[in-house]
Structure formats: C-alpha cells, structure tokens
Amino acid sequence: MESSWVNTVILVGDDWRQSIRGHILSELKPYFHVVAVGGGKIAEAGQGKRLLFVDTEGFQNIQLERAAVVLGPKARLLKSVHIAPNCYMVADSSNLKQLEWLSQKNLKTISCGLSQKDTLTFSSKKDDRCAVSLQRSLKVCRSTLEPLELMLSCGDEKETYPILAAAACLLLTGAHEKSIEH
C-alpha cells in the first residue's frame, strides 16, 4: 500500500461508538499495525504499516493532512470546528443535520446508507457476510477508486452504519486492495 492513502482514522462518537469501533478495528487489524487511542487507553495490534486510530467524543480542530473522520450517527458538530481540507468525512446518510453541516463546510464526504444516492451501500447480505458497494468513483489522495464491491464480515450486527463505516475505512486506507486478495 503506497503512502498516498489515509494514515489516521478518527472516530467521533456517541452511543454507537463501541459497535463502529469494533467493526473498523476488526477490518483494519489484518492489514496494519494499529495504534488505538481512546477511552483513557492506548493499545497496539496487528502488523504492517502503522495506522493511528483515535476514538474521541468530540474535537475542535483537525489539522491532519491524511485523515478519515468517521462520525457517529449522533455526534454533535460545532459551527466553530475547523477541519483540514484533505480530511475525508464518513457520515450516516440518515443524519441530515450532519450532511448539511458537512456540505456547508465543503468537506470531502462519504455518505453511508441504503440509498442509491449514497457513496457506500449494501448490494447483498448472506449469513454473516455482506457485500458493500462503492457506487461511484472516489478520489482518495493520489488514487482514484472506481466502483467496486467489498465483502465484509457483518456478524450479528443489526445496524448498517457500523459495517458501511468500516468499509469506508478499508477504502480510504488502501486496505481494500489487500482484502480483495483474501
């Protein structure tokens, strides 16, 4: 995986944070040496290129050049927040307030949901596996991803967003290239 991919994932949370965190980390650990910071803990797992994973309830400013910011469905966003223009925002499309806020800030946004308008959606689900579809071209740093499908483990997850957010992280970090090989 070349250095043009995202190297930091920031989960901005709410009561769904544990579920989203679990899905993202389980999908990324096979491909990265993940350094996870949050909840008063720091942990490391996996092998490969280092990826910083930050779990936080909120933030004022993000000045990172290659970061993915995954918004929990109920994460509150302040008008005064500044986010570097090279960050990628991952949002639940059912949260219209978040999408409006992201649009006003003119940020690179990956919407996740069940609509054909969403960047990421499900194309099928069978047993504990699901196919997530990237529905349009996506420019990530110096790479352009064309529409594709990813197979992910969905276990007994009832909600769609944690799985779709994990798929967005696979795409933004470049781990999808390795996951397709498996």
Side-chain angles (χ1 to χ4, degrees), residues 30-31 42-43 77 89 108 116-117 119-120 124 139 160:
Y31 311 107
I42 300 174
L77 304 167
M89 306 300 290
K108 299 171 187 170
Q116 290 186 345
K117 293 180 186 178
T119 308
L120 289 173
S124 67
K139 182 144 177 60
T160 59

Side-chain angles (χ1 to χ4, degrees), residues 72-135:
K74 296 179 185 174
R76 288 185 284 140
L77 304 167
L78 305 173
K79 290 181 182 179
S80 61
V81 168
H82 174 75
I83 299 171
N86 289 332
C87 287
Y88 296 85
M89 306 300 290
V90 178
D92 185 341
S93 66
S94 66
N95 188 325
L96 299 178
K97 284 185 179 181
Q98 277 185 3
L99 292 179
E100 182 179 323
W101 185 89
L102 293 166
S103 177
Q104 288 172 355
K105 294 278 188 181
N106 199 27
L107 295 167
K108 299 171 187 170
T109 302
I110 298 173
S111 64
C112 299
L114 300 177
S115 164
Q116 290 186 345
K117 293 180 186 178
D118 291 313
T119 308
L120 289 173
T121 192
F122 288 106
S123 55
S124 67
K125 184 175 179 183
K126 186 174 183 178
D127 301 323
D128 65 344
R129 304 283 297 163
C130 43
V132 175
S133 175
L134 172 64
Q135 299 199 99

Side-chain angles (χ1 to χ4, degrees), residues 14 24-25 33 43 53-54 65 76 94 100 120 156 173-174:
D14 50 38
I24 292 172
L25 289 176
H33 175 91
F53 180 88
V54 179
E65 286 302 310
R76 288 185 284 140
S94 66
E100 182 179 323
L120 289 173
D156 58 358
T173 60

Side-chain angles (χ1 to χ4, degrees), residues 5-172:
W5 300 103
V6 162
N7 58 16
T8 304
V9 175
I10 303 168
L11 175 58
V12 180
D14 50 38
D15 56 341
W16 284 35
R17 212 160 72 216
Q18 289 294 11
S19 179
I20 295 170
R21 177 189 175 108
H23 280 283
I24 292 172
L25 289 176
S26 69
E27 292 297 335
L28 293 178
K29 281 182 195 175
Y31 311 107
F32 293 99
H33 175 91
V34 178
V35 178
V37 180
K41 301 176 193 171
I42 300 174
E44 294 182 87
Q47 295 182 359
K49 186 178 168 187
R50 183 171 283 195
L51 178 78
L52 177 61
F53 180 88
V54 179
D55 184 353
T56 182
E57 288 186 29
F59 57 89
Q60 287 293 323
N61 294 297
I62 297 177
Q63 298 298 326
L64 300 172
E65 286 302 310
R66 292 187 340 247
V69 179
V70 180
L71 299 174
K74 296 179 185 174
R76 288 185 284 140
L77 304 167
L78 305 173
K79 290 181 182 179
S80 61
V81 168
H82 174 75
I83 299 171
N86 289 332
C87 287
Y88 296 85
M89 306 300 290
V90 178
D92 185 341
S93 66
S94 66
N95 188 325
L96 299 178
K97 284 185 179 181
Q98 277 185 3
L99 292 179
E100 182 179 323
W101 185 89
L102 293 166
S103 177
Q104 288 172 355
K105 294 278 188 181
N106 199 27
L107 295 167
K108 299 171 187 170
T109 302
I110 298 173
S111 64
C112 299
L114 300 177
S115 164
Q116 290 186 345
K117 293 180 186 178
D118 291 313
T119 308
L120 289 173
T121 192
F122 288 106
S123 55
S124 67
K125 184 175 179 183
K126 186 174 183 178
D127 301 323
D128 65 344
R129 304 283 297 163
C130 43
V132 175
S133 175
L134 172 64
Q135 299 199 99
R136 62 185 137 277
S137 296
L138 178 65
K139 182 144 177 60
V140 180
C141 300
R142 289 179 258 143
S143 300
T144 300
L145 303 176
E146 295 302 328
L148 56 83
E149 281 196 353
L150 293 173
M151 291 301 294
L152 278 82
S153 171
C154 48
D156 58 358
E157 181 67 55
K158 303 287 187 253
E159 301 297 332
T160 59
Y161 183 61
I163 299 163
L164 294 172
C169 291
L170 278 173
L171 293 171
L172 291 170

